[in-house]
Amino acid sequence: MTKRYLRKNFKTLGRVAVVATIAGFTLSACQSANVGEVLHQGYVVDQETLNLVPVGSSREQVLLSLGTPSTTATFDNEVFYYISQTRKRPVAFMKPKLIDQSILAVYFDKEGTVSQLAHYTLKDGKVFDMLTRTTPTGGKETSFLGQLLTGPGAGQAAARSLFKDFGN
């Protein structure tokens, strides 16, 4: 090998090392700069607004102070839920990950006045999916055919009447 050949290879190797170093610093700067997106969704209640709705307030006062709730429940007593979520995704095309959730529940008594205020977070229970408005349920989900073949009652009766005609 000649000196000229070695010098040329060392020059190329030096340039590659400089480019690799610059690329490494650039990528580490992107990660330390916390590139990504934080998405805030829902109603964020501050303490000042919450003070406008003490226990004993009317339903109308709650609606005027806090606005329309994210969702409601009307089983025994009416409940207003004000839900806020914070999601984060590292890159715009990735699915956001839920990092924080806050639920303010305003419970009403039979007269329509506030009986209790409660604040729930992710630590208090299951995640509520605001996009599809569904919560995970327990139990086994069975297809229509599975219900016909294994289910008691109406499913079996329907299957028997369906297959009775094929036997004759």
Side-chain angles (χ1 to χ4, degrees):
M1 287 194 195
T2 64
K3 288 183 182 182
R4 188 174 178 185
Y5 178 77
L6 289 175
R7 262 191 238 144
K8 184 178 177 183
N9 282 341
F10 280 127
K11 252 186 196 178
T12 305
L13 187 61
R15 289 180 184 154
V16 169
V18 168
V19 169
T21 304
I22 291 172
F25 282 129
T26 304
L27 288 175
S28 66
C30 285
Q31 280 193 338
S32 66
N34 209 5
V35 172
E37 188 174 20
V38 176
L39 307 167
H40 299 283
Q41 181 179 14
Y43 187 86
V44 179
V45 181
D46 61 342
Q47 189 60 40
E48 191 175 307
T49 307
L50 197 57
N51 291 339
L52 297 173
V53 190
V55 173
S57 301
S58 67
R59 182 178 290 114
E60 290 77 24
Q61 187 176 351
V62 172
L63 289 171
L64 286 173
S65 300
L66 300 177
T68 305
S70 304
T71 189
T72 60
T74 55
F75 296 109
D76 291 331
N77 296 330
E78 192 170 12
V79 184
F80 286 180
Y81 295 103
Y82 295 90
I83 304 169
S84 67
Q85 293 181 335
T86 303
R87 297 175 183 264
K88 185 175 183 180
R89 61 180 167 195
V91 183
F93 59 84
M94 293 183 73
K95 182 179 178 182
K97 180 182 176 187
L98 182 65
I99 57 174
D100 187 33
Q101 176 173 283
S102 174
I103 300 172
L104 170 66
V106 181
Y107 295 92
F108 295 97
D109 59 15
K110 292 179 182 179
E111 289 80 37
T113 59
V114 175
S115 62
Q116 179 186 357
L117 295 170
H119 183 254
Y120 302 107
T121 62
L122 277 176
K123 297 175 188 174
D124 296 321
K126 291 185 177 180
V127 174
F128 177 80
D129 185 1
M130 288 178 56
L131 299 177
T132 61
R133 293 189 177 269
T134 58
T135 54
T137 58
K140 180 180 173 185
E141 290 187 18
T142 309
S143 67
F144 175 73
L145 184 60
Q147 290 176 7
L148 283 177
L149 297 175
T150 62
Q156 279 185 337
R160 278 192 207 115
S161 67
L162 180 68
F163 291 119
K164 181 177 77 170
D165 295 335
F166 288 115
N168 292 331

